[in-house]
Tab-separated table of all heavy atoms in Angstrom:
chain	number	residue	atom	x	y	z
A	767	MET	N	-46.844	-35.812	-15.898
A	767	MET	CA	-46.117	-34.633	-15.434
A	767	MET	C	-46.414	-34.390	-13.953
A	767	MET	O	-47.417	-34.828	-13.436
A	767	MET	CB	-46.526	-33.401	-16.249
A	767	MET	CG	-46.059	-33.448	-17.684
A	767	MET	SD	-44.270	-33.408	-17.836
A	767	MET	CE	-43.928	-31.728	-17.336
A	768	ALA	N	-45.509	-33.672	-13.317
A	768	ALA	CA	-45.658	-33.402	-11.895
A	768	ALA	C	-45.199	-31.982	-11.584
A	768	ALA	O	-44.363	-31.424	-12.295
A	768	ALA	CB	-44.826	-34.390	-11.076
A	769	MET	N	-45.759	-31.445	-10.523
A	769	MET	CA	-45.312	-30.153	-10.046
A	769	MET	C	-43.970	-30.341	-9.321
A	769	MET	O	-43.608	-31.442	-8.927
A	769	MET	CB	-46.343	-29.539	-9.101
A	769	MET	CG	-47.741	-29.411	-9.699
A	769	MET	SD	-47.779	-28.534	-11.275
A	769	MET	CE	-47.340	-26.876	-10.716
A	770	ARG	N	-43.273	-29.220	-9.145
A	770	ARG	CA	-41.940	-29.277	-8.553
A	770	ARG	C	-41.781	-28.074	-7.620
A	770	ARG	O	-42.266	-26.981	-7.907
A	770	ARG	CB	-40.910	-29.206	-9.683
A	770	ARG	CG	-39.465	-29.182	-9.281
A	770	ARG	CD	-38.591	-29.265	-10.542
A	770	ARG	NE	-38.736	-28.095	-11.412
A	770	ARG	CZ	-38.067	-26.947	-11.261
A	770	ARG	NH1	-37.222	-26.803	-10.268
A	770	ARG	NH2	-38.250	-25.948	-12.093
A	771	ILE	N	-41.087	-28.285	-6.500
A	771	ILE	CA	-40.859	-27.207	-5.532
A	771	ILE	C	-39.450	-26.644	-5.711
A	771	ILE	O	-38.478	-27.391	-5.746
A	771	ILE	CB	-41.082	-27.716	-4.095
A	771	ILE	CG1	-42.554	-28.134	-3.918
A	771	ILE	CG2	-40.701	-26.640	-3.076
A	771	ILE	CD1	-42.897	-28.735	-2.573
A	772	THR	N	-39.387	-25.323	-5.828
A	772	THR	CA	-38.110	-24.651	-6.093
A	772	THR	C	-37.479	-24.112	-4.805
A	772	THR	O	-38.051	-24.198	-3.724
A	772	THR	CB	-38.321	-23.463	-7.041
A	772	THR	OG1	-39.023	-22.432	-6.328
A	772	THR	CG2	-39.116	-23.873	-8.268
A	773	GLU	N	-36.334	-23.500	-4.956
A	773	GLU	CA	-35.598	-22.954	-3.814
A	773	GLU	C	-36.284	-21.757	-3.177
A	773	GLU	O	-35.819	-21.252	-2.154
A	773	GLU	CB	-34.168	-22.596	-4.234
A	773	GLU	CG	-33.354	-23.833	-4.571
A	773	GLU	CD	-31.896	-23.534	-4.861
A	773	GLU	OE1	-31.534	-22.355	-4.925
A	773	GLU	OE2	-31.138	-24.497	-5.034
A	774	GLU	N	-37.375	-21.304	-3.753
A	774	GLU	CA	-38.151	-20.233	-3.127
A	774	GLU	C	-38.899	-20.747	-1.889
A	774	GLU	O	-39.418	-19.957	-1.102
A	774	GLU	CB	-39.181	-19.667	-4.121
A	774	GLU	CG	-38.575	-19.113	-5.401
A	774	GLU	CD	-37.627	-17.963	-5.139
A	774	GLU	OE1	-37.980	-17.087	-4.342
A	774	GLU	OE2	-36.522	-17.969	-5.703
A	775	CYS	N	-38.958	-22.053	-1.711
A	775	CYS	CA	-39.699	-22.655	-0.593
A	775	CYS	C	-39.132	-22.203	0.745
A	775	CYS	O	-37.923	-22.256	0.965
A	775	CYS	CB	-39.628	-24.177	-0.705
A	775	CYS	SG	-40.354	-25.055	0.702
A	776	ILE	N	-40.030	-21.784	1.648
A	776	ILE	CA	-39.623	-21.358	2.990
A	776	ILE	C	-40.018	-22.400	4.049
A	776	ILE	O	-39.982	-22.116	5.238
A	776	ILE	CB	-40.236	-19.985	3.338
A	776	ILE	CG1	-41.773	-20.034	3.259
A	776	ILE	CG2	-39.682	-18.900	2.425
A	776	ILE	CD1	-42.462	-18.778	3.800
A	777	ASN	N	-40.392	-23.581	3.585
A	777	ASN	CA	-40.729	-24.686	4.494
A	777	ASN	C	-41.860	-24.344	5.464
A	777	ASN	O	-41.829	-24.729	6.638
A	777	ASN	CB	-39.482	-25.157	5.268
A	777	ASN	CG	-38.468	-25.815	4.363
A	777	ASN	OD1	-38.832	-26.547	3.440
A	777	ASN	ND2	-37.192	-25.566	4.589
A	778	CYS	N	-42.868	-23.653	4.959
A	778	CYS	CA	-43.996	-23.289	5.834
A	778	CYS	C	-44.902	-24.485	6.097
A	778	CYS	O	-45.606	-24.517	7.090
A	778	CYS	CB	-44.790	-22.149	5.215
A	778	CYS	SG	-45.778	-22.629	3.780
A	779	GLY	N	-44.893	-25.453	5.183
A	779	GLY	CA	-45.697	-26.652	5.367
A	779	GLY	C	-47.129	-26.563	4.879
A	779	GLY	O	-47.876	-27.539	4.975
A	780	ALA	N	-47.529	-25.433	4.342
A	780	ALA	CA	-48.930	-25.245	3.948
A	780	ALA	C	-49.379	-26.210	2.855
A	780	ALA	O	-50.544	-26.609	2.811
A	780	ALA	CB	-49.142	-23.807	3.487
A	781	CYS	N	-48.487	-26.586	1.986
A	781	CYS	CA	-48.865	-27.411	0.835
A	781	CYS	C	-49.148	-28.865	1.199
A	781	CYS	O	-49.923	-29.530	0.511
A	781	CYS	CB	-47.779	-27.345	-0.228
A	781	CYS	SG	-46.124	-27.720	0.393
A	782	ILE	N	-48.513	-29.360	2.240
A	782	ILE	CA	-48.605	-30.791	2.541
A	782	ILE	C	-50.053	-31.250	2.689
A	782	ILE	O	-50.478	-32.216	2.049
A	782	ILE	CB	-47.801	-31.139	3.810
A	782	ILE	CG1	-46.314	-31.021	3.528
A	782	ILE	CG2	-48.132	-32.553	4.274
A	782	ILE	CD1	-45.438	-31.406	4.700
A	783	ASP	N	-50.818	-30.569	3.524
A	783	ASP	CA	-52.189	-31.003	3.788
A	783	ASP	C	-53.130	-30.731	2.624
A	783	ASP	O	-54.233	-31.276	2.580
A	783	ASP	CB	-52.721	-30.323	5.049
A	783	ASP	CG	-52.058	-30.850	6.308
A	783	ASP	OD1	-51.483	-31.961	6.255
A	783	ASP	OD2	-52.103	-30.158	7.338
A	784	GLU	N	-52.737	-29.867	1.703
A	784	GLU	CA	-53.602	-29.551	0.568
A	784	GLU	C	-53.534	-30.596	-0.533
A	784	GLU	O	-54.434	-30.684	-1.364
A	784	GLU	CB	-53.223	-28.182	-0.016
A	784	GLU	CG	-53.428	-27.029	0.941
A	784	GLU	CD	-54.872	-26.903	1.407
A	784	GLU	OE1	-55.786	-27.066	0.587
A	784	GLU	OE2	-55.074	-26.657	2.608
A	785	CYS	N	-52.466	-31.365	-0.556
A	785	CYS	CA	-52.270	-32.306	-1.668
A	785	CYS	C	-53.200	-33.508	-1.533
A	785	CYS	O	-53.112	-34.267	-0.568
A	785	CYS	CB	-50.822	-32.785	-1.701
A	785	CYS	SG	-50.516	-33.962	-3.038
A	786	PRO	N	-54.089	-33.730	-2.522
A	786	PRO	CA	-55.020	-34.851	-2.434
A	786	PRO	C	-54.338	-36.199	-2.649
A	786	PRO	O	-54.912	-37.241	-2.332
A	786	PRO	CB	-56.030	-34.557	-3.558
A	786	PRO	CG	-55.268	-33.750	-4.552
A	786	PRO	CD	-54.296	-32.919	-3.737
A	787	ASN	N	-53.134	-36.182	-3.172
A	787	ASN	CA	-52.429	-37.431	-3.453
A	787	ASN	C	-51.343	-37.748	-2.424
A	787	ASN	O	-50.592	-38.710	-2.603
A	787	ASN	CB	-51.802	-37.357	-4.843
A	787	ASN	CG	-52.837	-37.213	-5.922
A	787	ASN	OD1	-53.924	-37.778	-5.834
A	787	ASN	ND2	-52.538	-36.433	-6.948
A	788	MET	N	-51.249	-36.921	-1.393
A	788	MET	CA	-50.214	-37.095	-0.366
A	788	MET	C	-48.829	-37.250	-1.010
A	788	MET	O	-48.048	-38.128	-0.643
A	788	MET	CB	-50.551	-38.279	0.542
A	788	MET	CG	-51.800	-38.001	1.369
A	788	MET	SD	-52.211	-39.255	2.592
A	788	MET	CE	-52.814	-40.580	1.558
A	789	ALA	N	-48.574	-36.383	-1.986
A	789	ALA	CA	-47.322	-36.455	-2.750
A	789	ALA	C	-46.214	-35.593	-2.169
A	789	ALA	O	-45.078	-35.668	-2.633
A	789	ALA	CB	-47.588	-36.019	-4.193
A	790	ILE	N	-46.539	-34.772	-1.161
A	790	ILE	CA	-45.572	-33.787	-0.668
A	790	ILE	C	-45.047	-34.184	0.706
A	790	ILE	O	-45.811	-34.585	1.589
A	790	ILE	CB	-46.213	-32.390	-0.599
A	790	ILE	CG1	-46.787	-32.002	-1.970
A	790	ILE	CG2	-45.180	-31.349	-0.130
A	790	ILE	CD1	-47.522	-30.671	-1.997
A	791	VAL	N	-43.730	-34.052	0.854
A	791	VAL	CA	-43.103	-34.291	2.156
A	791	VAL	C	-42.270	-33.073	2.538
A	791	VAL	O	-41.915	-32.242	1.698
A	791	VAL	CB	-42.204	-35.551	2.149
A	791	VAL	CG1	-43.045	-36.800	1.971
A	791	VAL	CG2	-41.129	-35.463	1.083
A	792	GLY	N	-41.962	-32.992	3.835
A	792	GLY	CA	-41.183	-31.880	4.350
A	792	GLY	C	-39.698	-32.028	4.065
A	792	GLY	O	-39.232	-33.053	3.557
A	793	GLU	N	-38.954	-30.981	4.439
A	793	GLU	CA	-37.517	-30.957	4.167
A	793	GLU	C	-36.789	-32.103	4.867
A	793	GLU	O	-35.750	-32.572	4.390
A	793	GLU	CB	-36.924	-29.603	4.562
A	793	GLU	CG	-36.879	-29.323	6.064
A	793	GLU	CD	-38.197	-28.806	6.629
A	793	GLU	OE1	-39.237	-28.911	5.965
A	793	GLU	OE2	-38.159	-28.298	7.774
A	794	ASP	N	-37.350	-32.593	5.972
A	794	ASP	CA	-36.702	-33.693	6.690
A	794	ASP	C	-36.773	-34.999	5.914
A	794	ASP	O	-36.050	-35.947	6.224
A	794	ASP	CB	-37.346	-33.855	8.076
A	794	ASP	CG	-38.858	-34.047	8.011
A	794	ASP	OD1	-39.508	-33.497	7.099
A	794	ASP	OD2	-39.385	-34.744	8.879
A	795	LYS	N	-37.644	-35.042	4.906
A	795	LYS	CA	-37.780	-36.272	4.105
A	795	LYS	C	-37.395	-36.050	2.647
A	795	LYS	O	-37.685	-36.889	1.788
A	795	LYS	CB	-39.218	-36.795	4.189
A	795	LYS	CG	-39.552	-37.286	5.591
A	795	LYS	CD	-40.984	-37.776	5.684
A	795	LYS	CE	-41.286	-38.237	7.113
A	795	LYS	NZ	-42.703	-38.224	7.425
A	796	HIS	N	-36.753	-34.913	2.346
A	796	HIS	CA	-36.347	-34.649	0.956
A	796	HIS	C	-35.337	-35.722	0.524
A	796	HIS	O	-34.326	-35.938	1.199
A	796	HIS	CB	-35.713	-33.261	0.855
A	796	HIS	CG	-35.592	-32.772	-0.554
A	796	HIS	ND1	-34.806	-33.392	-1.492
A	796	HIS	CD2	-36.193	-31.722	-1.184
A	796	HIS	CE1	-34.913	-32.740	-2.650
A	796	HIS	NE2	-35.743	-31.728	-2.483
A	797	PRO	N	-35.589	-36.414	-0.576
A	797	PRO	CA	-34.722	-37.523	-0.967
A	797	PRO	C	-33.295	-37.106	-1.309
A	797	PRO	O	-32.379	-37.934	-1.239
A	797	PRO	CB	-35.425	-38.128	-2.192
A	797	PRO	CG	-36.333	-37.066	-2.684
A	797	PRO	CD	-36.733	-36.250	-1.489
A	798	ASP	N	-33.092	-35.834	-1.665
A	798	ASP	CA	-31.745	-35.365	-1.982
A	798	ASP	C	-31.138	-34.551	-0.839
A	798	ASP	O	-30.067	-33.961	-0.998
A	798	ASP	CB	-31.760	-34.523	-3.263
A	798	ASP	CG	-32.243	-35.322	-4.457
A	798	ASP	OD1	-31.943	-36.538	-4.514
A	798	ASP	OD2	-32.921	-34.752	-5.325
A	799	GLY	N	-31.838	-34.511	0.279
A	799	GLY	CA	-31.314	-33.809	1.442
A	799	GLY	C	-31.374	-32.295	1.350
A	799	GLY	O	-30.735	-31.598	2.137
A	800	GLU	N	-32.116	-31.781	0.374
A	800	GLU	CA	-32.213	-30.331	0.238
A	800	GLU	C	-33.150	-29.760	1.293
A	800	GLU	O	-34.051	-30.448	1.772
A	800	GLU	CB	-32.711	-29.971	-1.169
A	800	GLU	CG	-31.706	-30.309	-2.254
A	800	GLU	CD	-32.166	-29.817	-3.618
A	800	GLU	OE1	-32.534	-28.645	-3.728
A	800	GLU	OE2	-32.171	-30.628	-4.552
A	801	ASP	N	-32.939	-28.497	1.631
A	801	ASP	CA	-33.733	-27.836	2.670
A	801	ASP	C	-35.001	-27.233	2.049
A	801	ASP	O	-35.217	-26.020	2.084
A	801	ASP	CB	-32.887	-26.758	3.352
A	801	ASP	CG	-33.574	-26.192	4.590
A	801	ASP	OD1	-34.402	-26.905	5.192
A	801	ASP	OD2	-33.284	-25.033	4.946
A	802	LEU	N	-35.802	-28.086	1.452
A	802	LEU	CA	-37.027	-27.699	0.748
A	802	LEU	C	-38.069	-28.786	0.954
A	802	LEU	O	-37.714	-29.947	1.167
A	802	LEU	CB	-36.804	-27.629	-0.771
A	802	LEU	CG	-35.656	-26.847	-1.346
A	802	LEU	CD1	-35.498	-27.213	-2.804
A	802	LEU	CD2	-35.916	-25.370	-1.171
A	803	HIS	N	-39.330	-28.419	0.820
A	803	HIS	CA	-40.340	-29.460	0.715
A	803	HIS	C	-40.169	-30.145	-0.647
A	803	HIS	O	-39.510	-29.613	-1.541
A	803	HIS	CB	-41.737	-28.862	0.874
A	803	HIS	CG	-42.124	-28.691	2.316
A	803	HIS	ND1	-41.303	-28.090	3.234
A	803	HIS	CD2	-43.243	-29.067	3.001
A	803	HIS	CE1	-41.886	-28.092	4.421
A	803	HIS	NE2	-43.073	-28.674	4.314
A	804	TYR	N	-40.770	-31.323	-0.777
A	804	TYR	CA	-40.519	-32.119	-1.986
A	804	TYR	C	-41.801	-32.792	-2.460
A	804	TYR	O	-42.592	-33.281	-1.641
A	804	TYR	CB	-39.471	-33.198	-1.687
A	804	TYR	CG	-39.135	-34.081	-2.860
A	804	TYR	CD1	-38.266	-33.651	-3.856
A	804	TYR	CD2	-39.705	-35.347	-2.988
A	804	TYR	CE1	-37.961	-34.448	-4.943
A	804	TYR	CE2	-39.405	-36.167	-4.073
A	804	TYR	CZ	-38.529	-35.707	-5.041
A	804	TYR	OH	-38.240	-36.510	-6.113
A	805	ILE	N	-41.995	-32.816	-3.769
A	805	ILE	CA	-43.142	-33.496	-4.374
A	805	ILE	C	-42.655	-34.753	-5.084
A	805	ILE	O	-41.818	-34.668	-5.989
A	805	ILE	CB	-43.857	-32.576	-5.383
A	805	ILE	CG1	-44.373	-31.321	-4.683
A	805	ILE	CG2	-45.009	-33.330	-6.065
A	805	ILE	CD1	-44.948	-30.271	-5.634
A	806	PHE	N	-43.169	-35.890	-4.663
A	806	PHE	CA	-42.819	-37.126	-5.355
A	806	PHE	C	-43.513	-37.143	-6.719
A	806	PHE	O	-44.753	-37.166	-6.793
A	806	PHE	CB	-43.222	-38.351	-4.528
A	806	PHE	CG	-42.310	-38.594	-3.364
A	806	PHE	CD1	-42.658	-38.179	-2.088
A	806	PHE	CD2	-41.079	-39.208	-3.555
A	806	PHE	CE1	-41.798	-38.384	-1.016
A	806	PHE	CE2	-40.209	-39.418	-2.492
A	806	PHE	CZ	-40.573	-38.997	-1.226
A	807	PRO	N	-42.724	-37.133	-7.800
A	807	PRO	CA	-43.318	-37.015	-9.130
A	807	PRO	C	-44.201	-38.194	-9.515
A	807	PRO	O	-45.113	-38.043	-10.335
A	807	PRO	CB	-42.110	-36.883	-10.068
A	807	PRO	CG	-40.930	-37.314	-9.280
A	807	PRO	CD	-41.253	-37.110	-7.831
A	808	ASP	N	-43.969	-39.345	-8.933
A	808	ASP	CA	-44.798	-40.500	-9.282
A	808	ASP	C	-46.162	-40.441	-8.617
A	808	ASP	O	-47.070	-41.188	-8.996
A	808	ASP	CB	-44.076	-41.802	-8.913
A	808	ASP	CG	-43.696	-41.881	-7.441
A	808	ASP	OD1	-43.439	-40.823	-6.823
A	808	ASP	OD2	-43.645	-43.002	-6.910
A	809	LYS	N	-46.318	-39.547	-7.637
A	809	LYS	CA	-47.618	-39.418	-6.966
A	809	LYS	C	-48.397	-38.204	-7.459
A	809	LYS	O	-49.624	-38.163	-7.359
A	809	LYS	CB	-47.430	-39.304	-5.457
A	809	LYS	CG	-46.938	-40.581	-4.805
A	809	LYS	CD	-46.907	-40.419	-3.296
A	809	LYS	CE	-46.496	-41.709	-2.599
A	809	LYS	NZ	-46.400	-41.510	-1.144
A	810	CYS	N	-47.716	-37.183	-7.950
A	810	CYS	CA	-48.367	-35.935	-8.370
A	810	CYS	C	-48.964	-36.066	-9.767
A	810	CYS	O	-48.278	-36.463	-10.709
A	810	CYS	CB	-47.341	-34.805	-8.366
A	810	CYS	SG	-47.984	-33.240	-9.018
A	811	ASP	N	-50.249	-35.733	-9.878
A	811	ASP	CA	-50.896	-35.744	-11.195
A	811	ASP	C	-51.339	-34.336	-11.587
A	811	ASP	O	-52.229	-34.164	-12.414
A	811	ASP	CB	-52.063	-36.728	-11.227
A	811	ASP	CG	-53.214	-36.316	-10.321
A	811	ASP	OD1	-53.083	-35.302	-9.596
A	811	ASP	OD2	-54.262	-37.001	-10.340
A	812	GLU	N	-50.708	-33.334	-10.942
A	812	GLU	CA	-51.053	-31.926	-11.188
A	812	GLU	C	-52.538	-31.675	-10.942
A	812	GLU	O	-53.163	-30.863	-11.600
A	812	GLU	CB	-50.657	-31.492	-12.601
A	812	GLU	CG	-49.155	-31.593	-12.840
A	812	GLU	CD	-48.728	-31.079	-14.196
A	812	GLU	OE1	-49.569	-30.565	-14.946
A	812	GLU	OE2	-47.531	-31.207	-14.509
A	813	CYS	N	-53.097	-32.403	-9.992
A	813	CYS	CA	-54.522	-32.278	-9.653
A	813	CYS	C	-55.406	-32.448	-10.885
A	813	CYS	O	-56.431	-31.773	-11.044
A	813	CYS	CB	-54.794	-30.966	-8.923
A	813	CYS	SG	-54.126	-30.929	-7.236
A	814	GLY	N	-55.001	-33.344	-11.735
A	814	GLY	CA	-55.823	-33.691	-12.886
A	814	GLY	C	-55.963	-32.591	-13.914
A	814	GLY	O	-56.897	-32.608	-14.716
A	815	GLY	N	-55.056	-31.651	-13.908
A	815	GLY	CA	-55.088	-30.595	-14.911
A	815	GLY	C	-55.784	-29.325	-14.470
A	815	GLY	O	-55.779	-28.335	-15.178
A	816	THR	N	-56.396	-29.375	-13.270
A	816	THR	CA	-56.967	-28.145	-12.728
A	816	THR	C	-55.835	-27.343	-12.102
A	816	THR	O	-54.683	-27.752	-12.134
A	816	THR	CB	-58.025	-28.464	-11.653
A	816	THR	OG1	-57.388	-29.150	-10.573
A	816	THR	CG2	-59.132	-29.324	-12.235
A	817	SER	N	-56.141	-26.222	-11.502
A	817	SER	CA	-55.121	-25.462	-10.788
A	817	SER	C	-54.657	-26.294	-9.604
A	817	SER	O	-55.447	-26.613	-8.719
A	817	SER	CB	-55.714	-24.138	-10.314
A	817	SER	OG	-54.739	-23.404	-9.614
A	818	PRO	N	-53.385	-26.690	-9.560
A	818	PRO	CA	-52.930	-27.566	-8.473
A	818	PRO	C	-53.143	-26.925	-7.101
A	818	PRO	O	-52.857	-25.749	-6.896
A	818	PRO	CB	-51.445	-27.754	-8.778
A	818	PRO	CG	-51.342	-27.543	-10.254
A	818	PRO	CD	-52.340	-26.464	-10.557
A	819	ALA	N	-53.621	-27.735	-6.161
A	819	ALA	CA	-53.960	-27.238	-4.826
A	819	ALA	C	-52.755	-26.638	-4.126
A	819	ALA	O	-52.862	-25.643	-3.403
A	819	ALA	CB	-54.546	-28.381	-3.994
A	820	CYS	N	-51.580	-27.212	-4.326
A	820	CYS	CA	-50.381	-26.706	-3.642
A	820	CYS	C	-49.995	-25.324	-4.151
A	820	CYS	O	-49.567	-24.463	-3.384
A	820	CYS	CB	-49.226	-27.692	-3.826
A	820	CYS	SG	-48.790	-28.043	-5.546
A	821	VAL	N	-50.162	-25.106	-5.438
A	821	VAL	CA	-49.815	-23.801	-6.016
A	821	VAL	C	-50.708	-22.715	-5.427
A	821	VAL	O	-50.243	-21.620	-5.093
A	821	VAL	CB	-49.963	-23.838	-7.556
A	821	VAL	CG1	-49.781	-22.441	-8.151
A	821	VAL	CG2	-48.954	-24.804	-8.154
A	822	ASP	N	-51.973	-23.037	-5.266
A	822	ASP	CA	-52.927	-22.052	-4.754
A	822	ASP	C	-52.586	-21.614	-3.328
A	822	ASP	O	-52.854	-20.481	-2.938
A	822	ASP	CB	-54.347	-22.620	-4.777
A	822	ASP	CG	-54.866	-22.782	-6.199
A	822	ASP	OD1	-54.277	-22.173	-7.116
A	822	ASP	OD2	-55.855	-23.506	-6.383
A	823	VAL	N	-52.015	-22.509	-2.555
A	823	VAL	CA	-51.786	-22.215	-1.131
A	823	VAL	C	-50.370	-21.702	-0.834
A	823	VAL	O	-50.138	-21.108	0.212
A	823	VAL	CB	-52.106	-23.472	-0.288
A	823	VAL	CG1	-50.985	-24.503	-0.391
A	823	VAL	CG2	-52.356	-23.111	1.136
A	824	CYS	N	-49.446	-21.890	-1.725
A	824	CYS	CA	-48.045	-21.537	-1.449
A	824	CYS	C	-47.863	-20.018	-1.381
A	824	CYS	O	-48.130	-19.309	-2.343
A	824	CYS	CB	-47.127	-22.119	-2.524
A	824	CYS	SG	-45.388	-21.708	-2.237
A	825	PRO	N	-47.342	-19.520	-0.250
A	825	PRO	CA	-47.140	-18.076	-0.103
A	825	PRO	C	-45.915	-17.554	-0.829
A	825	PRO	O	-45.723	-16.342	-0.942
A	825	PRO	CB	-46.989	-17.913	1.413
A	825	PRO	CG	-46.352	-19.181	1.849
A	825	PRO	CD	-46.958	-20.256	0.963
A	826	SER	N	-45.078	-18.467	-1.320
A	826	SER	CA	-43.806	-18.059	-1.913
A	826	SER	C	-43.743	-18.274	-3.420
A	826	SER	O	-42.676	-18.072	-4.018
A	826	SER	CB	-42.668	-18.866	-1.271
A	826	SER	OG	-42.667	-18.681	0.122
A	827	ASP	N	-44.845	-18.698	-4.001
A	827	ASP	CA	-44.841	-19.035	-5.436
A	827	ASP	C	-43.682	-19.985	-5.764
A	827	ASP	O	-42.981	-19.825	-6.755
A	827	ASP	CB	-44.754	-17.783	-6.305
A	827	ASP	CG	-45.999	-16.918	-6.199
A	827	ASP	OD1	-47.085	-17.483	-5.930
A	827	ASP	OD2	-45.896	-15.691	-6.374
A	828	ALA	N	-43.495	-20.959	-4.878
A	828	ALA	CA	-42.350	-21.854	-4.992
A	828	ALA	C	-42.649	-23.111	-5.800
A	828	ALA	O	-41.742	-23.908	-6.026
A	828	ALA	CB	-41.878	-22.257	-3.602
A	829	ILE	N	-43.914	-23.297	-6.214
A	829	ILE	CA	-44.268	-24.552	-6.873
A	829	ILE	C	-44.551	-24.296	-8.337
A	829	ILE	O	-45.402	-23.487	-8.695
A	829	ILE	CB	-45.473	-25.208	-6.170
A	829	ILE	CG1	-45.185	-25.350	-4.673
A	829	ILE	CG2	-45.762	-26.570	-6.798
A	829	ILE	CD1	-46.321	-25.886	-3.850
A	830	VAL	N	-43.801	-24.989	-9.168
A	830	VAL	CA	-43.856	-24.760	-10.619
A	830	VAL	C	-43.999	-26.092	-11.360
A	830	VAL	O	-43.812	-27.157	-10.790
A	830	VAL	CB	-42.584	-24.038	-11.117
A	830	VAL	CG1	-42.453	-22.683	-10.445
A	830	VAL	CG2	-41.340	-24.878	-10.867
A	831	LYS	N	-44.275	-25.993	-12.661
A	831	LYS	CA	-44.318	-27.187	-13.495
A	831	LYS	C	-42.914	-27.620	-13.882
A	831	LYS	O	-42.049	-26.809	-14.084
A	831	LYS	CB	-45.121	-26.913	-14.752
A	831	LYS	CG	-46.590	-27.110	-14.531
A	831	LYS	CD	-47.314	-27.270	-15.847
A	831	LYS	CE	-48.807	-27.412	-15.598
A	831	LYS	NZ	-49.553	-27.660	-16.827
B	2142	SF4	S1	-46.504	-24.011	0.539
B	2142	SF4	FE1	-44.729	-23.270	-0.687
B	2142	SF4	S2	-43.330	-22.304	0.805
B	2142	SF4	FE2	-44.799	-23.565	1.976
B	2142	SF4	S3	-43.740	-25.562	2.230
B	2142	SF4	FE3	-45.032	-25.719	0.381
B	2142	SF4	S4	-43.666	-25.147	-1.323
B	2142	SF4	FE4	-42.689	-24.455	0.575
């Protein structure tokens, strides 16, 4: 399973550096061209079942399961 970024994302960039798996890219690299940050599901392991680092840092509560 992987975390997912929703349309609540304001592209602040805070989550990118927090991800230990380097699974997150900015809106300029979103594979579907959406104006959101993006989590590559094949890289995200939900931080091994702990509270995911990106969720803790997101100011918009934009990251969900
Ligand atoms: S921390 Fe939240 S609002 Fe900021 S870029 Fe990441 S998903 Fe978007």
